[in-house]
Every structure is written in C-alpha cells, then in structure tokens.
Amino acid sequence: MGKTKEMNKYWRVGEPMVWLSAAALSVTLLSAIVLLIVIMVNGLGVFWPSDLQELQLKNGSRLVGQLIQTIPTADESGLRRQYKIANRDLYGLDFRWIDEAQIVSEDTPANVLALERVEHGDFYGFLKSLQPPAGHPASATLAGLQQSLETVAKEKGDLSELDGKLKDISYRMEQIRLELLKYDYNKVPENDPDRIEAIQEQQGLKSEFSNLIEVQTSRTAKIRQAKALFVDANGQEKEVVLADIVQAYAPNQMSKLDKSLFYLKKLVELFVGQPRESNTEGGLFPAIFGTIMLIFVMSLFSFPLGVIAAIYLREYAKEGLLVRIVRIAVNNLAGIPSIVYGIFGLGFFIYGIGHTIDTLFFPERLPTPTFGTGGLLWASLTLALLTVPVVIVSTEEALGAIPREMREGSYALGATKFQTLVRILLPMASPGIMTGLILAMARAAGEVAPLMITGVVKLAPALPIDGHFPFLHLERKFMHLGFHIYDIGFQSPNVEAAKPMVFVTTLLLVMIVLLMSSVAIRLRNKMKKRYTFGTF
C-alpha cells in the first residue's frame, strides 16, 4: 500500500514530466552544440595554409598535395589518406586517395609553391622559369614571382578604373535606350529636340565606349604577356599567366605567425571579396549583403504589419466567432510550408502586382519586365508574409500578459485608449514584441525555398544599392547565403572541391543570425528593464 501511494504521488505530482522535459531540453541543446562544433571544426580550418607533402609511390610516380584526412582501408588491413592534389586542369580532379602501403617516401620540400588562381582552382608545383612584366625584371624565385605579381596587380588596379568608366557609360546608354523606347511608345516625332539630343548623346557614348574597349583590350593583352612556367611533382609543365594568379605562397616555408597573418587575410577576403570559380572560392560579400538586405527589408514590412494586426485583435476587435476564426487562421499560417508562400509570392506579387506596375508605369519596356520578375522587394514581401504570424502571436501574447489594472489605472487618470496603448501598453509589451521579431528574423535568414522562385540567383551582376539614382534598386535580383549553400553543395559539378566553402558559408550564416539575434536580445533586455516589472 505504501509503495502504491508513493507511486500515485509520484505520477500525480508530475515528476516524470519534469524528467522528460529536462531530457528533451538536454537532447536539443546537445544537438545544437554538436552541430555548431561540426560546422566550426570544418569551417574554421579551411583557410589555414597547411604544409604540402611530396610523396614517392611504389609505381614510380610522385605527387604533391595537402593531407585532408586518414581513414582505415575497406578491408581494415591498413590506412588510406585523402590528399588535395589541386592542378585540376592537369589531372581532371582535385582530390586523390592513396593507400599508405603504396607510399615509398614522403617529404615536405621548402620550394613547393601553392597558387590561388582565378580559374581551375589551386595549383601545387615548383617554379621553373619566370617572364616578368616588361620593364620590371625579376628572378625565377618566390620573391621574384611575388614582386612580379605585385606589379601585375597594380596594373590590374589601374585597369579596374577603366572598368568603372565602362560600367558608368553602359548604365547611361541603357537609360537612353529606355528613354528612346518611351519616345517610340508615345509616338514622339523624329524631329523632337529632346529625342534628337538623346540620340546624339547615345552616339557619343557609343563612340567613347568603343574607344575605351580598345584601350582596355590593348592594356589587358600587355598585362597578360607576363607569365610563369611551373612543373608538378612528375615534371609536367604548366604555363600560367600572372594576371590569372590571385596569390602565390610557399606553405612549407611559412612560420606560425606568417600562417596566422595569411589566415586573417583570407578572412578579410571572405567578407569583402567577390566570389570566384562558380562561387566555390573567393569572397562572399554579395551573398552577405543580399542576406542582410533581405532580412532588413522583410522586417520593415513584417514588424509594423504584425504589430498593428495584433493590436487590433487584442485591443479593438470585439471577441466573437470572426475574431476566433482570424486567430485560428493566423496560427495555421505559421504551419504552411514555405514553398507555398513562394508560389503565392510568384503569382500575387510578381505576376500580379509587378506586372500591373509594368503595365501602368513601364509599358514601353514590355514584354521585358521591370518589376514583373523576381527581385529583392518581392522576396522580402514573401518572407514578410511567412513571418508575420510569428510577430502577431508574440505581440498578442505580450499585450495579453499586461495586468488589467494597468489599463484601468490609465483610464482612471483620464487617458484615452490610444494614449494608454501608446504610452503604457506598447512599451510594456515591447520585450515580447522584440522576441517575435527575433524569431521572424531567424526564420527569414534560413529560408531558401520561397526565395528560389521570387528573386535569388546564383550570381548577381549588381548589388541592390549603388551610386546610380535612385540608389536603392529593390527590383534587382540578389544573392543569399542559404541559396549559396544549396547551390555549391548540391548543384556544383565538383562537390568535393566545394565542400569547404559549404561549411564556411554555413558558419557565416549561423554567425549572422546569432549576431542579429544578439543585438535584438540586447534591445529586448533594455526595454524589459525599463518598461516592465519582469512579467515577460
């Protein structure tokens, strides 16, 4: 009887539920920690310049590569190593597995070089000869090669100024083309002074553009005359144009300090550089910028819309069947698959509103769409719809948690309902509202499916912000870190070579979400300390 009573009390008090809750929380936290560790271990070491090994194999061949991992062989009779051997244009692959039983000797020669190239990935080999830029003699050593690369980089920098001029002229020519299309649509006479002036300006720009292209071609050909000849471990020669080399270094000669500085330089490139090699190398600046812009614009729509809807439902709407149905609908909206929102965004925003805008304001450009195609604005609005239920629910919960006496006290002092709402209720509910915004931002940052059909692209030629009026171009397509992970991880023809960048991009996306959430949490805590009594 005593044991039965104790068991009944044990179940009645609910201790099993406490243990189950603790176990579920522990599993969740453990899973998140393990995930973060896996991402950090694989992502943080990508840019570290590891030593390059030269192997002599039993079949007489040699190879130079970076050791990636060592695992047991299939029959567990020994070990096998995976090397990154680079030289994709020579071997047709970037990685190679070698059984340790096949290795005769191994060494880490000091003169082996690693090249980061604009195309075909890295190159591992030895410098044989050097043809430096004209007027800048240099010896066929690593120092001479780096000196020549600096000269070429300076000449390429001068060339980039020319690229800027060409882009400006190209942009102006496009504007004139659209202006002339408008004249044609409005049937403006051929002898109209404004039209004649536009045509004359277009002809002048075409002439200037052609001259600049000739100058660019000539200077590019001159820069590309500087070359270097390399050999791989088996003596196979490869000539590389210096303009195609991003940087050259000898990892086996570098000290820990040199490698640390190299690592920091690569991190800077990751944040501010442009992508290369189908996004598998180089920087992620366009994707970082697009992701932050998307979250920012989404918040501008989602936050006020969600808060206003919640205020109406909680403070102004009369409780009844209709309000209950609306609340159920809002809660159910949060459970709809995100791809459905994407399809809705494509049909309603792009084909509906976007096409209407084109018809009303840009009819001369049709059938080429301006707003009737995917872009940052439509993707942001689609994500705003996807996340607005989160803001509504959290805001309603925050308003409902405010003690009734606070409202009654305000009314008793003569305040109107609106004054009570603005000066009492919203400040007190602000921590809860911020919680909803944090959850909405986190979800928006990780969504990819709706973006794939509303505006995200693999490589965006221009950012949504530039120096041309009106400076903010929300109709443009954009890059996104989440889509970047999907693209290089599952759509790249060389998935093995793209794997390091997958982990780096994933780590970066997690860091951005954590950073933005931390800022929002700090704001929420400040509001909580200032406006509430610790209710929320």
Side-chain angles (χ1 to χ4, degrees), residues 39-57:
I39 294 172
M40 291 179 71
V41 167
N42 288 280
L44 290 176
V46 170
F47 299 126
W48 185 260
S50 301
D51 287 347
L52 296 179
Q53 298 180 359
E54 183 178 18
L55 305 182
Q56 170 74 51
L57 305 181

Side-chain angles (χ1 to χ4, degrees), residues 219-256:
R219 290 173 64 177
T220 301
K222 183 182 176 184
I223 292 174
R224 295 187 67 83
Q225 289 176 355
K227 300 173 183 175
L229 185 64
F230 296 89
V231 292
D232 70 351
N234 292 305
Q236 188 175 359
E237 294 184 346
K238 176 63 183 177
E239 188 179 70
V240 182
V241 176
L242 297 190
D244 292 338
I245 299 176
V246 179
Q247 63 175 332
Y249 58 98
N252 297 347
Q253 296 181 21
M254 297 169 74
S255 63
K256 293 289 183 188

Side-chain angles (χ1 to χ4, degrees), residues 323-382:
V323 171
R324 284 200 296 275
I325 292 174
V326 169
R327 283 206 177 94
I328 292 171
V330 168
N331 291 329
N332 288 337
L333 278 176
I336 292 178
S338 57
I339 188 65
V340 177
Y341 283 97
I343 294 170
F344 175 80
L346 177 68
F348 182 74
F349 291 125
I350 297 177
Y351 292 157
I353 297 178
H355 181 69
T356 303
I357 292 174
D358 284 349
T359 305
L360 293 176
F361 298 102
F362 308 103
E364 73 279 3
R365 302 182 189 181
L366 291 175
T368 304
T370 304
F371 282 89
T373 183
L376 180 64
L377 177 62
W378 305 134
S380 302
L381 283 172
T382 303

Side-chain angles (χ1 to χ4, degrees), residues 88 112 164 263 267 413 438 463 489 516:
R88 188 184 308 156
V112 64
Y263 186 83
L267 284 183
L413 292 174
I438 293 167
L463 295 175
M516 298 182 75

Side-chain angles (χ1 to χ4, degrees), residues 61-75:
S61 65
R62 308 176 73 89
L63 69 85
V64 170
Q66 175 187 340
L67 179 62
I68 302 298
Q69 58 178 326
T70 302
I71 61 172
T73 55
D75 56 2

Side-chain angles (χ1 to χ4, degrees), residues 314-518:
R314 174 61 63 174
E315 301 295 327
Y316 290 95
K318 288 184 179 179
E319 288 295 334
L321 179 63
L322 182 61
V323 171
R324 284 200 296 275
I325 292 174
V326 169
R327 283 206 177 94
I328 292 171
V330 168
N331 291 329
N332 288 337
L333 278 176
I336 292 178
S338 57
I339 188 65
V340 177
Y341 283 97
I343 294 170
F344 175 80
L346 177 68
F348 182 74
F349 291 125
I350 297 177
Y351 292 157
I353 297 178
H355 181 69
T356 303
I357 292 174
D358 284 349
T359 305
L360 293 176
F361 298 102
F362 308 103
E364 73 279 3
R365 302 182 189 181
L366 291 175
T368 304
T370 304
F371 282 89
T373 183
L376 180 64
L377 177 62
W378 305 134
S380 302
L381 283 172
T382 303
L383 285 188
L385 272 184
L386 188 149
T387 56
V388 77
V390 179
V391 181
I392 293 175
V393 172
S394 60
T395 304
E396 262 210 281
E397 293 292 330
L399 289 171
I402 298 174
R404 186 166 50 89
E405 291 79 6
M406 299 300 297
R407 292 177 175 80
E408 294 174 349
S410 178
Y411 298 150
L413 292 174
T416 64
K417 192 165 187 172
F418 183 74
Q419 289 171 328
T420 303
L421 175 69
V422 172
R423 298 186 180 181
I424 305 294
L425 301 183
L426 283 181
M428 292 186 69
S430 56
I433 297 172
M434 287 301 295
T435 301
L437 181 61
I438 293 167
L439 294 174
M441 288 165 54
R443 182 170 184 190
E447 285 293 345
V448 174
L451 304 181
M452 293 170 67
I453 49 180
T454 55
V456 75
V457 289
K458 178 185 178 72
L459 188 64
L463 295 175
I465 295 178
D466 62 16
H468 297 115
F469 184 81
F471 311 114
L472 181 63
H473 306 275
L474 294 179
E475 79 281 5
R476 287 181 180 172
K477 299 184 186 299
F478 64 101
M479 294 178 68
H480 184 267
L481 287 173
F483 181 76
H484 190 271
I485 294 169
Y486 164 77
D487 178 53
I488 62 176
F490 301 98
Q491 301 296 309
S492 173
N494 192 346
V495 175
E496 190 71 22
K499 194 163 64 175
M501 190 56 84
V502 172
F503 284 108
V504 170
T505 311
T506 305
L507 179 61
L508 196 56
L509 182 58
V510 171
M511 286 173 59
I512 288 176
V513 173
L514 289 178
L515 179 65
M516 298 182 75
S517 300
S518 299

